[in-house]
């Protein structure tokens, strides 16, 4: 089938990237507030202090989501806004914000998909060891309980965490994201193990405390290797599900514990002595039944079968299209990523992020013309439709992003939005792509 009748067309954003109001109503500092103060950490010394001021403008922003015609909105809850110290005292004003936001979404007939953790760890918990401290899993479970108790009468779709690969590797290994650590592999793996434990405990909390049946997933990066030709499919699949390089940039180290209850054998062998000592019962805790698998997919790497059938990167042609961020344009990733993940795990799939940064500005005619975003999204959605036609159980697509925002270490340099934001005036302008996306949604993908 093409896109299912109940296909979920959405847009996505995250708390630190849009909310601003960094010290308003009792919000505590996060590791990103701290990181942004480090000279050279973020492009032009920028921060999320104000960002899109969504904290104050959320009503208008919900109106814009409605104008785009999106039926669902993937938001994240800021842990330090809800619990300024990360544990202990709850900040009711912070919770109230999400409660008002959810009410506004529901009044506009937009279904909230809430992510509990999109990288903005409370600074106080980092000071207590952060993800390197095994207690972090329990801290996250306690925070989850607070959010679920308040919102689950109205929110039923949840993701525990966003892209563990990235917040562990870039944050704890490469030092390019908060908290800016450059730890050896063994410690990255330890932090990762605790994050996975946190995921498992949070799922248990969601199931136990939700006021209505919860639909729970998580949103890892999907690292896609796709075949250059049909004869390369097996090699591409093996490379996509394999742990083949001694870093955390893969799928199975993260997804297998969550969805199969064990770390992959090739990863255990490759990481060797760096593999963390786990405690009895850890993997059972991590391995909670999930309702869906979220995948964040922006690009992929074409490969072909080399000697012994092992995947070898196929060089891209000279002049291959690149986004403003200089990420390669790779629509096939939205076919093969979902396909390989569905084959391996069998769960319904949502594309929880996909999009591009583009060089957008407001033209003399007052509009924002972004034909590249339209063409990019059309190509990727065609690939996703093909996946659905070929039997992959794809349930939804969330475009990253609702609006231009704070793109982590790249600051405001990269514009990912369907909506242009003038960060001086906070004026929002729907880009041409936003109007185009509305047509896609109205036709249930018929116009792609
Ligand atoms: C993903 C992040 C998201 C956004 C996009 C461009 O890795 O999850 O917050 O920054 O990249």
């Amino acid at each position: 089938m093409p896109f299912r009748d109940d296909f979920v067309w959405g847009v996505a954003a995250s708390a630190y990237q849009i909310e601003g109001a960094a010290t308003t109503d009792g919000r505590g500092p996060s590791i990103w507030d701290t990181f942004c103060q480090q000279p050279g950490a973020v492009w032009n010394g920028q921060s999320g202090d104000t960002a899109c001021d969504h904290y104050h403008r959320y009503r208008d922003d919900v109106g814009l989501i409605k104008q785009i015609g999106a039926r669902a909105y993937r938001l994240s809850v800021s842990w330090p806004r809800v619990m300024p110290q990360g544990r202990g005292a709850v900040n009711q004003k912070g919770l109230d914000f999400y409660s008002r936001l959810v009410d506004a979404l529901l009044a506009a007939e937009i279904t909230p998909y809430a992510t509990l953790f999109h990288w903005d760890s409370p600074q106080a918990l980092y000071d207590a060891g952060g993800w390197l401290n095994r207690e972090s899993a329990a801290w996250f479970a306690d925070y989850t309980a607070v959010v679920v108790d308040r919102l689950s009468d109205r929110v039923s779709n949840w993701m525990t965490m966003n892209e563990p690969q990235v917040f562990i590797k870039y944050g704890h290994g490469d030092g390019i994201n908060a908290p800016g650590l450059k730890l050896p592999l063994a410690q990255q793996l330890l932090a990762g193990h605790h994050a996975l434990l946190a995921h498992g405990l949070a799922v248990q909390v969601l199931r136990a405390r939700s006021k209505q049946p919860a639909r729970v997933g998580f949103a890892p990066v999907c690292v896609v290797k796709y075949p250059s030709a049909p004869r390369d499919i097996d090699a591409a699949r093996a490379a996509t599900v394999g742990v083949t390089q001694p870093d955390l940039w893969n799928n199975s180290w993260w997804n297998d514990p969550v969805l199969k209850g064990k770390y992959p054998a090739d990863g255990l062998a490759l990481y060797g002595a760096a593999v963390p000592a786990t405690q009895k019962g850890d993997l059972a805790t991590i391995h909670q039944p999930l309702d869906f698998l979220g995948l964040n997919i922006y690009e992929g790497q074409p490969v072909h079968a080399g000697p012994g059938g092992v995947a070898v990167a196929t060089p891209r042609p000279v002049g291959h299209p690149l986004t403003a961020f200089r990420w390669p344009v790779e629509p096939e990733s939205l076919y093969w990523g979902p396909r390989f993940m569905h084959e391996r795990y069998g769960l319904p799939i949502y594309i929880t992020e996909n999009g591009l940064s583009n060089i957008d500005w407001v033209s003399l005619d007052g509009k924002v013309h972004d034909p590249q975003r339209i063409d990019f999204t059309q190509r990727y959605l065609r690939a996703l439709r093909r996946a659905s036609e070929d039997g992959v159980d794809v349930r939804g697509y969330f475009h990253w992003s609702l609006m231009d925002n704070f793109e982590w270490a790249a600051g405001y340099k990269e514009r990912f939005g369907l909506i242009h934001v003038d960060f001086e005036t906070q004026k929002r302008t729907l880009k041409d792509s936003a109007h185009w996306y509305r047509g896609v949604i109205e036709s249930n993908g018929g116009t792609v």
Side-chain angles (χ1 to χ4, degrees):
M1 70 170 117
F3 295 109
R4 304 163 53 103
D5 290 341
D6 59 356
F7 193 82
V8 175
W9 294 100
V11 288
S14 89
Y16 188 73
Q17 293 179 275
I18 64 168
E19 286 177 2
T23 55
T24 305
D25 289 343
R27 177 186 177 276
S30 78
I31 56 170
W32 271 96
D33 298 280
T34 310
F35 187 68
C36 290
Q37 287 165 15
Q38 290 174 21
V42 175
W43 188 71
N44 276 357
Q46 296 171 340
S47 79
D49 280 359
T50 307
C52 308
D53 195 30
H54 172 72
Y55 187 79
H56 296 109
R57 295 166 196 263
Y58 73 93
R59 273 185 199 287
D60 293 344
D61 291 338
V62 169
L64 295 173
I65 300 173
K66 180 90 183 157
Q67 220 178 308
I68 293 174
R71 311 271 162 73
Y73 174 47
R74 178 172 176 234
L75 62 110
S76 82
V77 177
S78 160
W79 188 346
R81 198 180 284 294
V82 168
M83 298 174 94
Q85 298 301 311
R87 50 186 164 166
V90 173
N91 178 29
Q92 287 304 331
K93 284 187 173 169
L95 270 180
D96 290 347
F97 166 69
Y98 296 104
S99 184
R100 290 194 303 272
L101 172 59
V102 164
D103 282 345
L105 288 166
L106 293 176
E109 295 177 307
I110 298 161
T111 306
Y113 281 66
T115 304
L116 289 160
F117 179 69
H118 199 125
W119 305 357
D120 45 354
S121 294
Q123 178 65 33
L125 295 186
Y126 175 70
D127 295 340
W131 293 114
L132 287 165
N133 185 338
R134 192 179 159 91
E135 284 299 301
S136 56
W139 300 334
F140 187 64
D142 291 346
Y143 154 68
T144 299
V146 169
V147 177
V148 169
D149 286 356
R150 183 66 190 271
L151 299 182
S152 66
D153 55 335
R154 288 155 292 155
V155 176
S156 58
N157 296 286
W158 299 90
M159 280 149 280
T160 54
M161 49 182 63
N162 184 68
E163 298 187 347
Q165 293 100 326
V166 176
F167 73 80
I168 298 295
K169 183 180 191 307
Y170 288 4
H172 299 74
D174 301 341
I176 55 179
N177 276 2
L181 300 178
K182 293 183 179 169
L183 301 174
L185 181 64
Q187 283 183 283
Q188 295 175 52
L189 289 169
L190 183 66
H193 182 68
H194 296 151
L196 290 175
L197 267 180
H199 159 86
L201 291 180
V203 179
Q204 289 178 343
V205 169
L206 273 156
R207 301 277 184 224
R209 298 177 85 107
S210 178
K211 294 175 183 152
Q212 55 181 315
R215 296 186 66 245
V216 186
F218 81 137
V221 178
C222 182
V223 183
V224 186
K225 320 275 181 184
Y226 72 85
S228 295
R231 64 174 175 276
D232 304 318
I233 293 175
D234 289 344
R237 179 188 294 106
T240 299
V241 304
V243 181
T244 57
Q245 51 193 46
D247 65 27
L248 304 184
W249 200 244
N250 65 64
N251 301 302
S252 298
W253 188 260
W254 308 96
N255 297 351
D256 278 18
V258 167
L259 299 169
K260 290 172 173 279
K262 55 184 185 216
Y263 280 114
D266 56 355
L268 290 168
L270 183 75
Y271 297 154
V275 172
T278 59
Q279 293 185 14
K280 197 162 172 286
D282 279 4
L283 281 149
T285 302
I286 294 168
H287 182 211
Q288 299 298 315
L290 293 188
D291 302 290
F292 64 90
L293 174 60
L295 299 175
N296 291 359
I297 300 179
Y298 290 88
E299 54 162 307
Q301 171 65 53
V303 297
H304 58 276
V310 175
V312 177
T314 308
R316 297 189 182 92
V318 173
H320 185 88
L322 301 172
T323 70
F325 222 155
R326 296 299 184 252
W327 295 357
V329 178
E330 295 285 7
E332 285 296 290
S333 60
L334 220 56
Y335 176 84
W336 292 100
R339 179 165 154 179
F340 289 151
M341 291 302 110
H342 187 247
E343 283 174 2
R344 189 168 179 90
Y345 303 113
L347 279 181
I349 284 174
Y350 289 79
I351 303 305
T352 36
E353 287 181 23
N354 169 250
L356 75 160
S357 70
N358 192 42
I359 301 173
D360 305 319
W361 66 83
V362 182
S363 290
L364 288 170
D365 63 5
K367 299 180 177 169
V368 180
H369 304 296
D370 58 344
Q372 287 83 357
R373 183 167 287 101
I374 294 173
D375 186 71
F376 175 104
T377 309
Q378 181 156 17
R379 289 173 190 265
Y380 277 67
L381 284 175
R382 282 185 184 181
L384 187 64
R385 181 175 59 202
R386 247 173 60 228
S388 181
E389 285 164 353
D390 287 356
V392 178
D393 186 2
V394 194
R395 303 284 179 97
Y397 171 88
F398 290 81
H399 193 84
W400 185 274
S401 179
L402 167 63
M403 56 186 157
D404 296 338
N405 60 48
F406 177 76
E407 177 45 38
W408 308 115
Y412 299 95
K413 179 159 67 74
E414 303 296 333
R415 293 185 176 272
F416 273 91
L418 292 165
I419 298 172
H420 181 276
V421 177
D422 177 328
F423 294 104
E424 293 292 311
T425 62
Q426 292 298 343
K427 183 173 188 308
R428 277 84 157 128
T429 307
L430 268 67
K431 300 178 189 177
D432 289 354
S433 58
H435 299 290
W436 172 84
Y437 190 43
R438 184 182 174 97
V440 171
I441 297 169
E442 280 170 354
S443 67
N444 194 32
T447 55
V448 305

